[in-house]
Amino acid sequence: MIKISNLYKSYDDLEVLKGINLNVSKGEVLSVIGSSGSGKSTLLYCINGLEPIQQGQIIVDDIDVHASDTNLNSVRQNMGMVFQQWNSFPHLTVLENVALAPRIVSKLPKAQALEIAEKQLRHVGLGDKLSKYPSALSGGQQQRLAIARALAMEPKCMLFDEATSALDPELVGEVLDTIRLLAEEGMTMICVTHEMGFAREVSDRVAFFHEGVIEEINQPEELFGAPKSVYLQKFLSKVKK
Amino acid sequence: MDYNFHWRPVFKTLPDLLESAILTVEVAVLSMVLGILFGLALSLIRIHMTGPLKWFAVSWIELARNTPALLQLFFFGFGLGAFGIHFSPFLIVLMGLTFNNSGYLAENFRGGFNAIPDTQIRASLSLGMNSFQTYTRIIIPQVLRIVYHPMTNQMVWAVLMSSLGMLVGFRELSGETQFFASKTYRIFEYFAATAVIYYVLVKIILGAAKLMALRLFKY
């Protein structure tokens, strides 16, 4: 589904990703953990083509994302992305937020777009907020709105960039529940997260990033239970405190 | 003080004055619509482009904001006239006001664009929208809300500035007033009446802008 080989990415002189090789198969949930600045979020931006890369290849669903003849807009339709700052569109109602892309990108008739939007909003538990504006929603609700908005494009995979780290602690649960629901439904996902409990419970595999490389990648039981890398051991002991 | 007020001539020509007031509103509204379009273009060029286009946009904005509006009007009237390029008084005023509005609005828009977080663009692109859709559907609607009140100020400014039109032979409200005042010698009465008309016009525009804001910005 997602094949990343020998990926290098830098911002000017700063090397952020230094040779990433990673395969994510269909239906797999991969969590990415690591300290700030280790390149986790950058990886997602590169997969979605929001950041150019210097070297290597990212293939999503048999399409080379960074090839010069690739239409990024159509690649992105197959990938849903949810950001740390939930980025709801403040000038549109909840329903319009979700229906906009199906209407103007997928070119669906208005009625059908609204139908899909309503279905996805019910899916994430916002069925009673359709005509509200995002400003009337809590952070957790806005993040679920962002998830519904991405799902409405019927993506083949979802990328979560620290979807819960800007939320108040009491709102984290509802968003994680929604992501968990997607995992159960078999959605292919890459979740950059600081929620170790969540990563351990939901993921098929967990990757630990350290200074731009994948230091360790394994099934959650092994990775958390018996970490081999010294850096990972240090990271986990800090997180547990 | 032995001045005798004579209001009768003013009342008799009130329909003419009101008709010229419509011309005032017409040129002001048109110059605003064009000013918004050019202003948006200028601010986007200034933010995103380099080279001659940027240089052109910056020069426009700087000249519009830092030279007298009257000179700008004279440029389109007498200035171009020197090269044998002639326009009707209406077009001279429209071009002058549009030039001026565009410059001021461009800077307002630039502030508006800077106030929208980059993450809105990323979120929009990540949904598969192209840059044009991102700007027209997501960014510009939010910018218009941010600059709405400065924009109403500019609208009022355009109505009042259009009075400069009388100096290039445009018979808008002030030009018409000047014409009747010198014809009847009831100078005070005419200009007092016109001041009231301007005041009411501006109040109506501000009221309409408020109502429109309620309809447009529900969030």
Side-chain angles (χ1 to χ4, degrees):
Chain A
M1 181 83 203
I2 302 174
K3 286 192 192 114
I4 301 168
S5 45
N6 199 31
L7 170 64
Y8 282 83
K9 161 76 190 169
S10 52
Y11 294 101
D12 297 325
D13 289 341
L14 183 71
E15 271 203 315
V16 182
L17 297 175
K18 306 167 191 166
I20 301 289
N21 292 291
L22 183 65
N23 287 329
V24 180
S25 44
K26 198 170 183 311
E28 183 177 4
V29 178
L30 174 79
S31 287
V32 179
I33 60 172
S35 46
S36 306
S38 57
K40 314 182 297 285
S41 299
T42 304
L43 174 72
L44 294 191
Y45 288 141
C46 292
I47 296 176
N48 206 352
L50 287 169
E51 286 289 347
I53 62 174
Q54 272 69 46
Q55 203 185 313
Q57 204 178 35
I58 300 176
I59 310 243
V60 178
D61 208 24
D62 297 328
I63 297 169
D64 184 345
V65 176
H66 291 270
S68 54
D69 58 347
T70 299
N71 180 351
L72 273 179
N73 295 324
S74 57
V75 171
R76 288 177 186 140
Q77 289 174 47
N78 291 326
M79 275 188 274
M81 180 143 185
V82 175
F83 299 84
Q84 182 178 357
Q85 292 298 341
W86 37 84
N87 293 323
S88 40
F89 303 137
H91 60 301
L92 301 176
T93 64
V94 167
L95 188 63
E96 289 165 346
N97 254 280
V98 182
L100 181 64
R103 239 179 69 209
I104 68 170
V105 178
S106 314
K107 311 256 187 260
L108 296 181
K110 193 174 178 185
Q112 202 183 337
L114 291 174
E115 198 180 307
I116 290 173
E118 196 176 334
K119 191 184 94 186
Q120 290 302 346
L121 284 163
R122 291 195 192 293
H123 193 188
V124 300
L126 291 175
D128 57 339
K129 306 279 185 204
L130 302 182
S131 57
K132 292 261 189 294
Y133 282 89
S135 55
L137 267 51
S138 71
Q141 288 169 335
Q142 291 202 46
Q143 192 57 295
R144 283 187 281 148
L145 165 60
I147 295 173
R149 192 169 68 183
L151 288 176
M153 294 304 286
E154 294 172 341
K156 292 177 180 148
C157 60
M158 290 282 287
L159 311 173
F160 288 91
D161 182 22
E162 300 185 21
T164 59
S165 53
L167 293 176
D168 292 338
E170 74 270 23
L171 301 176
V172 169
E174 58 184 272
V175 173
L176 292 186
D177 284 344
T178 308
I179 302 176
R180 206 171 279 135
L181 178 71
L182 295 183
E184 283 162 15
E185 290 167 358
M187 176 66 81
T188 310
M189 297 198 280
I190 301 182
C191 307
V192 168
T193 185
H194 289 300
E195 302 288 333
M196 296 306 144
F198 169 80
R200 187 169 195 157
E201 174 202 348
V202 175
S203 322
D204 297 308
R205 280 188 306 162
V206 179
F208 170 66
F209 269 54
H210 180 73
E211 291 179 356
V213 296
I214 298 180
E215 178 78 11
E216 191 164 337
I217 180 164
N218 215 330
Q219 283 156 355
E221 293 314 313
E222 272 100 279
L223 188 123
F224 287 110
K228 294 182 196 74
S229 151
V230 188
Y231 297 116
L232 176 57
Q233 288 164 8
K234 264 192 199 156
F235 176 74
L236 288 177
S237 70
K238 271 189 211 155
V239 170
K240 272 170 197 155
K241 276 178 206 162
Chain B
M1 204 176 97
D2 55 358
Y3 186 84
N4 290 319
F5 290 98
H6 289 282
W7 294 98
R8 187 182 289 269
V10 177
F11 288 121
K12 248 171 73 184
T13 52
L14 197 58
D16 294 300
L17 289 184
L18 291 179
E19 216 167 290
S20 64
I22 292 175
L23 214 53
T24 289
V25 173
E26 231 174 66
V27 79
V29 168
L30 268 177
S31 74
M32 271 304 280
V33 172
L34 293 174
I36 289 170
L37 294 177
F38 283 120
L40 269 176
L42 289 177
S43 65
L44 283 172
I45 291 172
R46 183 166 193 176
I47 295 170
H48 292 292
M49 299 227 182
T50 51
L53 259 178
K54 173 165 186 165
W55 182 83
F56 171 77
V58 171
S59 313
W60 182 328
I61 293 167
E62 290 290 309
L63 282 173
R65 284 158 49 90
N66 302 309
T67 61
L70 181 60
L71 288 194
Q72 295 166 22
L73 225 60
F74 277 1
F75 172 79
F76 288 104
F78 310 131
L80 291 181
F83 299 97
I85 307 169
H86 298 285
F87 298 105
S88 69
F90 178 86
L91 273 182
I92 294 170
V93 177
L94 180 61
M95 288 191 290
L97 291 186
T98 301
F99 178 78
N100 189 275
N101 283 340
S102 308
Y104 276 94
L105 289 171
E107 284 302 87
N108 285 336
F109 287 137
R110 190 158 70 115
F113 280 117
N114 287 336
I116 310 284
D118 279 352
T119 49
Q120 286 277 313
I121 297 180
R122 290 196 152 177
S124 174
L125 292 177
S126 80
L127 289 168
M129 289 190 230
N130 58 36
S131 307
F132 181 75
Q133 290 168 329
T134 297
Y135 269 88
T136 53
R137 302 290 188 143
I138 305 299
I139 307 302
I140 291 176
Q142 294 184 56
V143 169
L144 286 181
R145 185 192 174 158
I146 295 172
V147 304
Y148 188 77
H149 290 292
M151 233 157 66
T152 36
N153 280 343
Q154 190 68 30
M155 176 70 209
V156 169
W157 187 229
V159 167
L160 301 182
M161 254 192 328
S162 69
S163 62
L164 296 174
M166 73 168 161
L167 299 171
V168 291
F170 185 41
R171 289 270 290 272
E172 40 62 66
L173 184 52
S174 294
E176 195 77 349
T177 305
Q178 167 89 334
F179 173 75
F180 284 121
S182 46
K183 207 170 133 187
T184 61
Y185 296 104
R186 307 317 317 174
I187 294 169
F188 176 85
E189 289 87 336
Y190 268 105
F191 279 103
T194 297
V196 172
I197 297 176
Y198 271 117
Y199 184 85
V200 172
L201 269 184
V202 168
K203 283 293 163 188
I204 291 174
I205 289 169
L206 288 176
K210 240 183 206 160
L211 284 180
M212 213 160 94
L214 285 180
R215 241 192 94 64
L216 284 175
F217 309 123
K218 296 191 185 119
Y219 60 100

